[in-house]
Short mmCIF file of all heavy atoms in Angstrom, two decimals:
data_model
loop_
_atom_site.label_atom_id
_atom_site.label_comp_id
_atom_site.label_asym_id
_atom_site.label_seq_id
_atom_site.Cartn_x
_atom_site.Cartn_y
_atom_site.Cartn_z
N SER A 1 -5.75 6.12 1.69
CA SER A 1 -5.44 4.88 1.01
C SER A 1 -5.99 4.85 -0.39
O SER A 1 -5.36 4.27 -1.31
CB SER A 1 -6.01 3.70 1.83
OG SER A 1 -5.42 3.63 3.11
N ALA A 2 -7.15 5.49 -0.60
CA ALA A 2 -7.76 5.50 -1.93
C ALA A 2 -6.86 6.25 -2.92
O ALA A 2 -6.67 5.85 -4.07
CB ALA A 2 -9.12 6.17 -1.89
N GLN A 3 -6.28 7.36 -2.46
CA GLN A 3 -5.33 8.10 -3.32
C GLN A 3 -4.11 7.25 -3.66
O GLN A 3 -3.67 7.16 -4.83
CB GLN A 3 -4.89 9.39 -2.62
CG GLN A 3 -6.00 10.42 -2.46
CD GLN A 3 -5.58 11.56 -1.53
OE1 GLN A 3 -4.58 11.45 -0.82
NE2 GLN A 3 -6.38 12.64 -1.56
N ARG A 4 -3.57 6.56 -2.65
CA ARG A 4 -2.41 5.72 -2.86
C ARG A 4 -2.76 4.59 -3.86
O ARG A 4 -1.96 4.34 -4.78
CB ARG A 4 -1.97 5.09 -1.53
CG ARG A 4 -0.81 4.09 -1.67
CD ARG A 4 -0.70 3.25 -0.42
NE ARG A 4 -1.93 2.51 -0.19
CZ ARG A 4 -2.24 1.92 0.97
NH1 ARG A 4 -1.41 1.97 2.00
NH2 ARG A 4 -3.37 1.27 1.10
N ASP A 5 -3.87 3.96 -3.68
CA ASP A 5 -4.23 2.83 -4.58
C ASP A 5 -4.41 3.30 -6.02
O ASP A 5 -3.99 2.64 -6.95
CB ASP A 5 -5.53 2.16 -4.07
CG ASP A 5 -5.33 1.49 -2.73
OD1 ASP A 5 -4.15 1.24 -2.36
OD2 ASP A 5 -6.33 1.22 -2.03
N PHE A 6 -5.05 4.44 -6.21
CA PHE A 6 -5.23 4.97 -7.57
C PHE A 6 -3.88 5.25 -8.22
O PHE A 6 -3.64 4.88 -9.37
CB PHE A 6 -6.07 6.25 -7.53
CG PHE A 6 -6.22 6.93 -8.88
CD1 PHE A 6 -7.09 6.47 -9.81
CD2 PHE A 6 -5.38 8.01 -9.18
CE1 PHE A 6 -7.19 7.10 -11.07
CE2 PHE A 6 -5.46 8.63 -10.44
CZ PHE A 6 -6.37 8.17 -11.37
N LEU A 7 -3.02 5.89 -7.48
CA LEU A 7 -1.69 6.21 -8.02
C LEU A 7 -0.89 4.97 -8.34
O LEU A 7 -0.18 4.91 -9.36
CB LEU A 7 -0.93 7.11 -7.03
CG LEU A 7 -1.50 8.51 -6.84
CD1 LEU A 7 -0.91 9.18 -5.63
CD2 LEU A 7 -1.23 9.37 -8.09
N SER A 8 -1.02 3.97 -7.50
CA SER A 8 -0.33 2.70 -7.77
C SER A 8 -0.88 2.04 -9.04
O SER A 8 -0.11 1.53 -9.87
CB SER A 8 -0.49 1.76 -6.57
OG SER A 8 0.14 0.54 -6.80
N ASP A 9 -2.18 2.09 -9.20
CA ASP A 9 -2.83 1.44 -10.37
C ASP A 9 -2.41 2.08 -11.68
O ASP A 9 -2.30 1.42 -12.70
CB ASP A 9 -4.34 1.48 -10.22
CG ASP A 9 -4.84 0.59 -9.11
OD1 ASP A 9 -4.08 -0.28 -8.68
OD2 ASP A 9 -5.99 0.80 -8.65
N ILE A 10 -2.15 3.38 -11.70
CA ILE A 10 -1.83 4.07 -12.96
C ILE A 10 -0.34 4.15 -13.21
O ILE A 10 0.12 4.77 -14.17
CB ILE A 10 -2.43 5.52 -13.00
CG1 ILE A 10 -1.79 6.39 -11.92
CG2 ILE A 10 -3.93 5.46 -12.86
CD1 ILE A 10 -2.24 7.86 -12.02
N GLY A 11 0.48 3.50 -12.33
CA GLY A 11 1.90 3.40 -12.58
C GLY A 11 2.77 4.47 -11.98
O GLY A 11 3.94 4.59 -12.34
N CYS A 12 2.23 5.24 -11.03
CA CYS A 12 3.05 6.25 -10.33
C CYS A 12 4.15 5.49 -9.54
O CYS A 12 3.88 4.45 -8.92
CB CYS A 12 2.18 7.09 -9.40
SG CYS A 12 3.07 8.44 -8.61
N ASP A 13 5.36 6.01 -9.55
CA ASP A 13 6.50 5.29 -8.95
C ASP A 13 6.53 5.40 -7.41
O ASP A 13 6.79 4.39 -6.70
CB ASP A 13 7.81 5.82 -9.49
CG ASP A 13 7.91 5.60 -10.96
OD1 ASP A 13 7.85 4.44 -11.42
OD2 ASP A 13 8.09 6.61 -11.72
N ALA A 14 6.26 6.60 -6.87
CA ALA A 14 6.45 6.82 -5.43
C ALA A 14 5.52 7.89 -4.95
O ALA A 14 4.95 8.68 -5.74
CB ALA A 14 7.91 7.16 -5.13
N ILE A 15 5.32 7.92 -3.63
CA ILE A 15 4.46 8.92 -3.01
C ILE A 15 5.11 9.43 -1.74
O ILE A 15 6.00 8.81 -1.16
CB ILE A 15 3.08 8.37 -2.67
CG1 ILE A 15 3.16 7.19 -1.69
CG2 ILE A 15 2.32 7.96 -3.94
CD1 ILE A 15 1.82 6.71 -1.18
N GLN A 16 4.65 10.59 -1.30
CA GLN A 16 4.96 11.09 0.04
C GLN A 16 3.74 11.86 0.53
O GLN A 16 2.96 12.39 -0.27
CB GLN A 16 6.21 11.97 0.07
CG GLN A 16 6.13 13.27 -0.64
CD GLN A 16 7.46 14.06 -0.60
OE1 GLN A 16 8.32 13.84 -1.44
NE2 GLN A 16 7.61 14.89 0.38
N GLY A 17 3.55 11.91 1.81
CA GLY A 17 2.39 12.58 2.37
C GLY A 17 2.05 12.06 3.73
O GLY A 17 2.70 11.14 4.26
N TYR A 18 1.01 12.61 4.34
CA TYR A 18 0.63 12.28 5.73
C TYR A 18 0.17 10.83 5.86
O TYR A 18 0.15 10.29 6.96
CB TYR A 18 -0.46 13.21 6.24
CG TYR A 18 0.03 14.64 6.49
CD1 TYR A 18 -0.89 15.63 6.83
CD2 TYR A 18 1.38 14.97 6.36
CE1 TYR A 18 -0.46 16.91 7.08
CE2 TYR A 18 1.78 16.24 6.57
CZ TYR A 18 0.88 17.21 6.95
OH TYR A 18 1.30 18.49 7.18
N LEU A 19 -0.22 10.17 4.76
CA LEU A 19 -0.60 8.76 4.84
C LEU A 19 0.58 7.94 5.36
O LEU A 19 0.40 6.98 6.11
CB LEU A 19 -1.05 8.25 3.47
CG LEU A 19 -1.40 6.75 3.42
CD1 LEU A 19 -2.65 6.45 4.24
CD2 LEU A 19 -1.61 6.30 1.98
N ILE A 20 1.77 8.28 4.94
CA ILE A 20 2.96 7.57 5.42
C ILE A 20 3.44 8.20 6.74
O ILE A 20 3.53 7.52 7.75
CB ILE A 20 4.09 7.67 4.36
CG1 ILE A 20 3.56 7.19 3.02
CG2 ILE A 20 5.31 6.86 4.78
CD1 ILE A 20 4.47 7.57 1.87
N ALA A 21 3.75 9.47 6.71
CA ALA A 21 4.17 10.18 7.91
C ALA A 21 4.32 11.65 7.60
O ALA A 21 4.57 12.04 6.46
CB ALA A 21 5.48 9.62 8.43
N ARG A 22 4.17 12.46 8.63
CA ARG A 22 4.51 13.86 8.55
C ARG A 22 6.03 13.96 8.56
O ARG A 22 6.74 12.98 8.86
CB ARG A 22 3.92 14.62 9.75
CG ARG A 22 2.41 14.62 9.81
CD ARG A 22 1.92 15.21 11.14
NE ARG A 22 0.48 15.12 11.22
CZ ARG A 22 -0.35 16.14 10.89
NH1 ARG A 22 0.15 17.27 10.46
NH2 ARG A 22 -1.66 16.02 11.00
N PRO A 23 6.58 15.10 8.23
CA PRO A 23 8.03 15.28 8.36
C PRO A 23 8.47 15.00 9.80
O PRO A 23 7.85 15.48 10.76
CB PRO A 23 8.26 16.71 7.98
CG PRO A 23 7.12 17.05 7.08
CD PRO A 23 5.95 16.30 7.65
N LEU A 24 9.54 14.25 9.96
CA LEU A 24 9.98 13.76 11.27
C LEU A 24 11.40 14.19 11.58
O LEU A 24 12.24 14.35 10.69
CB LEU A 24 9.93 12.24 11.32
CG LEU A 24 8.61 11.54 11.00
CD1 LEU A 24 8.82 10.07 10.82
CD2 LEU A 24 7.59 11.84 12.11
N PRO A 25 11.74 14.38 12.86
CA PRO A 25 13.12 14.58 13.26
C PRO A 25 13.94 13.37 12.81
O PRO A 25 13.41 12.27 12.58
CB PRO A 25 13.05 14.69 14.77
CG PRO A 25 11.65 15.10 15.06
CD PRO A 25 10.80 14.46 14.01
N GLY A 26 15.25 13.55 12.71
CA GLY A 26 16.12 12.53 12.16
C GLY A 26 15.99 11.17 12.87
O GLY A 26 15.95 10.12 12.15
N ASP A 27 15.94 11.13 14.18
CA ASP A 27 15.89 9.84 14.87
C ASP A 27 14.56 9.11 14.64
O ASP A 27 14.49 7.90 14.47
CB ASP A 27 16.17 10.02 16.36
CG ASP A 27 15.19 11.00 17.01
OD1 ASP A 27 14.50 11.73 16.29
OD2 ASP A 27 15.15 11.04 18.25
N GLN A 28 13.46 9.88 14.61
CA GLN A 28 12.14 9.27 14.37
C GLN A 28 12.03 8.75 12.93
O GLN A 28 11.43 7.69 12.68
CB GLN A 28 11.03 10.26 14.67
CG GLN A 28 10.90 10.59 16.17
CD GLN A 28 9.68 11.40 16.45
OE1 GLN A 28 8.66 11.29 15.80
NE2 GLN A 28 9.75 12.28 17.48
N PHE A 29 12.61 9.51 11.99
CA PHE A 29 12.60 9.03 10.61
C PHE A 29 13.39 7.72 10.53
O PHE A 29 12.96 6.78 9.81
CB PHE A 29 13.21 10.06 9.67
CG PHE A 29 13.38 9.57 8.27
CD1 PHE A 29 12.33 9.65 7.38
CD2 PHE A 29 14.56 8.99 7.85
CE1 PHE A 29 12.46 9.18 6.08
CE2 PHE A 29 14.70 8.51 6.56
CZ PHE A 29 13.63 8.61 5.69
N GLU A 30 14.51 7.62 11.17
CA GLU A 30 15.32 6.42 11.14
C GLU A 30 14.51 5.22 11.64
O GLU A 30 14.53 4.12 11.06
CB GLU A 30 16.58 6.63 11.97
CG GLU A 30 17.54 5.44 11.96
CD GLU A 30 18.75 5.71 12.80
OE1 GLU A 30 18.67 6.52 13.76
OE2 GLU A 30 19.83 5.14 12.50
N THR A 31 13.80 5.40 12.76
CA THR A 31 12.98 4.33 13.33
C THR A 31 11.90 3.90 12.37
O THR A 31 11.67 2.70 12.15
CB THR A 31 12.35 4.78 14.66
OG1 THR A 31 13.40 5.14 15.58
CG2 THR A 31 11.46 3.70 15.24
N LEU A 32 11.24 4.89 11.72
CA LEU A 32 10.19 4.57 10.78
C LEU A 32 10.71 3.81 9.59
O LEU A 32 10.19 2.79 9.16
CB LEU A 32 9.54 5.87 10.30
CG LEU A 32 8.52 5.75 9.18
CD1 LEU A 32 7.25 5.02 9.65
CD2 LEU A 32 8.17 7.09 8.59
N ALA A 33 11.82 4.29 9.02
CA ALA A 33 12.38 3.65 7.80
C ALA A 33 12.84 2.22 8.08
O ALA A 33 12.62 1.32 7.25
CB ALA A 33 13.53 4.51 7.29
N LEU A 34 13.45 1.97 9.25
CA LEU A 34 13.94 0.65 9.55
C LEU A 34 12.80 -0.30 9.85
O LEU A 34 12.86 -1.51 9.57
CB LEU A 34 14.87 0.73 10.76
CG LEU A 34 16.22 1.42 10.54
CD1 LEU A 34 16.96 1.58 11.85
CD2 LEU A 34 17.08 0.63 9.54
N GLY A 35 11.73 0.21 10.45
CA GLY A 35 10.61 -0.67 10.83
C GLY A 35 9.53 -0.83 9.76
O GLY A 35 8.59 -1.63 9.95
N TRP A 36 9.63 -0.08 8.68
CA TRP A 36 8.60 -0.14 7.67
C TRP A 36 8.57 -1.53 7.03
O TRP A 36 9.58 -2.13 6.69
CB TRP A 36 8.85 0.89 6.57
CG TRP A 36 7.70 1.00 5.61
CD1 TRP A 36 7.56 0.35 4.46
CD2 TRP A 36 6.52 1.79 5.78
NE1 TRP A 36 6.37 0.67 3.85
CE2 TRP A 36 5.72 1.58 4.65
CE3 TRP A 36 6.11 2.65 6.78
CZ2 TRP A 36 4.48 2.21 4.48
CZ3 TRP A 36 4.88 3.29 6.59
CH2 TRP A 36 4.08 3.07 5.48
N GLY A 37 7.35 -2.08 6.88
CA GLY A 37 7.17 -3.38 6.30
C GLY A 37 6.87 -4.48 7.31
O GLY A 37 6.24 -5.48 6.98
N ALA A 38 7.25 -4.29 8.57
CA ALA A 38 6.95 -5.30 9.59
C ALA A 38 5.49 -5.26 9.90
O ALA A 38 4.87 -6.32 10.15
CB ALA A 38 7.76 -4.99 10.84
N ALA A 39 4.86 -4.10 9.83
CA ALA A 39 3.45 -3.98 10.09
C ALA A 39 3.01 -2.67 9.50
O ALA A 39 3.79 -1.73 9.30
CB ALA A 39 3.17 -4.01 11.61
N PRO A 40 1.69 -2.54 9.19
CA PRO A 40 1.20 -1.26 8.66
C PRO A 40 1.52 -0.12 9.64
O PRO A 40 1.34 -0.29 10.84
CB PRO A 40 -0.30 -1.48 8.51
CG PRO A 40 -0.44 -2.96 8.36
CD PRO A 40 0.64 -3.55 9.23
#
């Protein structure tokens, strides 16, 4: 989270990494993307 916060503060547009998720099979990625924002 510290890395994410620093990047957000300096104006970085986007991130990817294990903080969000590891690479996922197609169906699991779909579930993650649709449910993102409802809860951490």
Side-chain angles (χ1 to χ4, degrees):
S1 298
Q3 292 170 345
R4 176 197 59 196
D5 294 342
F6 174 80
L7 291 166
S8 178
D9 291 341
I10 64 174
C12 186
D13 298 302
I15 61 172
Q16 68 182 86
Y18 289 175
L19 177 67
I20 307 165
R22 297 171 183 265
L24 302 170
D27 56 346
Q28 292 188 31
F29 174 85
E30 182 179 28
T31 300
L32 173 70
L34 291 172
W36 188 267

